[in-house]
Amino acid sequence: MKIFKNIFPALLPALLFLQSCDKLSSPYAEVRPSGGDTTSRAVLLEDYTGHKCVNCPLAAIMAHDLEKLYSGQVFVVAVHATYFATPDPSGDYTADYRTEAGTEWASFYEIESAPNGLVNRSFFAGKNIYMSPKLWGGAIEAAVELPKAAIMKINTSWDEGTRTLTSVIDTRFLMQMEGAFSLVACILEDSIVSPQQNKDTLAGPVPVIKDYVFMNMLRGTMKGPWGEQLTPAVDLNKVYRKEYTYQLPADWNKTHCWVLAFIYDDLNREIYHVVKSKATIDPE
């Protein structure tokens, strides 16, 4: 029996936004930077969210549970976009967590509401590539059963004086595939505390969680929303290397930052592999 079916009864209430979700509580679990199933495909779950989205706290719990279930194989990025992520000039929601990449991706995939998500940017159970949280588990179950397409590794170094992060990303393909592939490198940050609207007491106080802890937040990309082409044609005998630098703003906590990279097919933009690594090795 498939793993997801075995744990489906435990996740079903969260999947349907019913009443048995557990609150995220400190300390928050962290996924392994890599690992998981060494023969199956790594998966990126993009959780489109916003601090004015009342259903997003429960969606974040679901994403967190799926990440734990497929530890080291499923990676979550919380993309703050659409109306629900817009800041207000005063009040609880003055913070602006939108990014150029998140805005571009939401526009490209025609995501206008939250919570919604993409799983490896591939279609599942419908005509839209984006899907509501109740479909995330099934889409991930299908995606992780595909064969592993590549091996990726991230090595990082940190210059304290300039707050510059250098990331060297190596990619080796394991499958012969047609067409060109590109690489996107993202910066994520965890443990950002800020108000979040909420309508369910199972996720926290209603109607506002004043000290909500945002995890896996997309903070930026190192080479634009769509990255850069890795190769016009796959060569199984070659290791593709890209090196990027990124200067972290002073208000970002370097010890809570991650580098997440993924490769995708230039033609249909489907993601074929994902890897994640701590941005710095400094102690918490």
Side-chain angles (χ1 to χ4, degrees), residues 57 62 110 112 140 157 161 179-180 184 186 192 208 214:
M62 183 191 309
E110 300 181 334
E112 297 179 350
I140 287 172
S157 59
V184 174
C186 307
I192 298 171
V208 180
F214 292 93

Side-chain angles (χ1 to χ4, degrees), residues 90-237:
S90 62
D92 286 331
Y93 309 106
T94 58
D96 192 350
Y97 299 129
R98 296 172 299 176
T99 59
E100 176 192 1
T103 300
E104 169 71 15
W105 297 340
S107 175
F108 182 84
Y109 290 108
E110 300 181 334
I111 298 173
E112 297 179 350
S113 62
N116 269 300
L118 295 95
V119 175
N120 273 358
R121 297 182 177 175
S122 58
F123 290 92
F124 176 77
K127 63 180 181 180
N128 291 326
I129 202 165
Y130 65 85
M131 62 195 78
S132 66
K134 67 182 180 181
L135 296 177
W136 293 354
I140 287 172
E141 180 191 20
V144 297
E145 293 183 348
L146 297 172
K148 191 169 187 175
I151 295 173
M152 298 177 70
K153 183 178 181 181
I154 302 173
N155 287 307
T156 63
S157 59
W158 172 256
D159 185 320
E160 182 65 35
T162 62
R163 290 185 58 84
T164 298
L165 171 68
T166 299
S167 300
V168 178
I169 304 171
D170 290 337
T171 303
R172 181 168 67 86
F173 289 90
L174 300 176
M175 299 168 55
Q176 189 62 58
M177 296 175 288
E178 299 297 325
F181 285 79
S182 290
L183 169 72
V184 174
C186 307
I187 301 290
L188 310 185
E189 188 177 0
D190 284 340
S191 304
I192 298 171
V193 180
S194 187
Q196 167 71 52
Q197 287 190 18
N198 176 50
K199 78 170 189 178
D200 198 310
T201 56
L202 295 170
V206 174
V208 180
I209 306 173
K210 291 284 189 178
D211 56 353
Y212 187 79
V213 181
F214 292 93
M215 304 296 285
N216 303 307
M217 183 188 288
L218 177 67
R219 292 298 241 163
T221 54
M222 297 186 186
K223 197 71 175 180
W226 303 105
E228 64 175 333
Q229 189 174 92
L230 192 63
T231 176
V234 171
D235 182 349
L236 296 181
N237 297 313

